[in-house]
Amino acid sequence: MTQPAEARIILPATARDWEQYFHLRYEVLRAPLNQPPGSEYFEDDATALHALALDPSDCAVGVGRIHLIQPATMQLRAMAVAPAARACGIGRQMVTHLEERARGTGAAVMVLEAREQAVGFYQHLGYRLGSPSHLLFGTIQHFSMSKSL
């Protein structure tokens, strides 16, 4: 895959979209941690707002989702960018897209639980660092972060 300059972000709609969406989520967020297939699905996926970034050949290069956790507060979860598409602005583009969708629902705040290695990325996008929140699978430290929309 060539490094995409910009991705096309869509709402997953077709069976192929969803297949690519969950495959990328598994490959980036679960497989490297030796988690079983199926662990990439969340109980509330049916009610979340999803985004899928596609490269020029319509291959998934980014995924993410938001959901309402309190009135006017959305949570960003399951952000993943394909390794070959990193450092190309896809993550920034995805977060910006999801923030706009959150604003469109009336949300005033976005919160997230960032893996330790992603904290700097989110800080660069204006998120404030909170306290350590949890250890994913007992090994990966996460930090609470938030941003006023």
Side-chain angles (χ1 to χ4, degrees):
M1 173 191 324
T2 60
Q3 296 288 337
E6 185 134 334
R8 179 171 57 95
I9 299 178
I10 65 167
L11 309 177
T14 68
R16 182 175 189 271
D17 293 344
W18 286 110
E19 180 182 324
Q20 287 195 86
Y21 179 94
F22 286 110
H23 177 75
L24 183 61
R25 199 154 99 175
Y26 176 74
E27 290 299 317
V28 173
L29 300 176
R30 295 297 191 248
L33 302 174
N34 298 314
Q35 295 303 303
S39 63
E40 70 276 19
Y41 295 97
F42 301 151
E43 245 180 55
D44 63 349
D45 275 333
T47 58
L49 302 175
H50 301 267
L52 172 64
L54 299 171
D55 70 9
S57 51
D58 283 339
C59 292
V61 291
V63 298
R65 53 160 275 181
I66 55 175
H67 66 275
L68 189 67
I69 59 167
Q70 295 176 15
T73 302
M74 296 288 265
Q75 182 177 21
L76 173 64
R77 286 188 76 192
M79 271 288 302
V81 174
R86 291 187 185 149
C88 297
I90 303 297
R92 174 197 43 78
Q93 192 180 351
M94 288 288 298
V95 171
T96 299
H97 174 86
L98 290 166
E99 288 173 349
E100 289 171 7
R101 289 185 65 196
R103 278 187 209 94
T105 71
V109 177
M110 182 80 82
V111 298
L112 58 91
E113 303 293 325
R115 291 181 182 195
E116 189 168 17
Q117 70 268 22
V119 166
F121 166 76
Y122 289 111
Q123 285 178 315
H124 182 72
L125 296 176
Y127 284 81
R128 291 183 316 274
L129 180 61
S131 59
S133 59
H134 68 279
L135 287 174
L136 180 65
F137 307 122
T139 60
I140 299 178
Q141 183 63 61
H142 279 64
F143 292 85
S144 297
M145 300 187 81
S146 64
K147 178 179 180 179
S148 295
L149 299 174

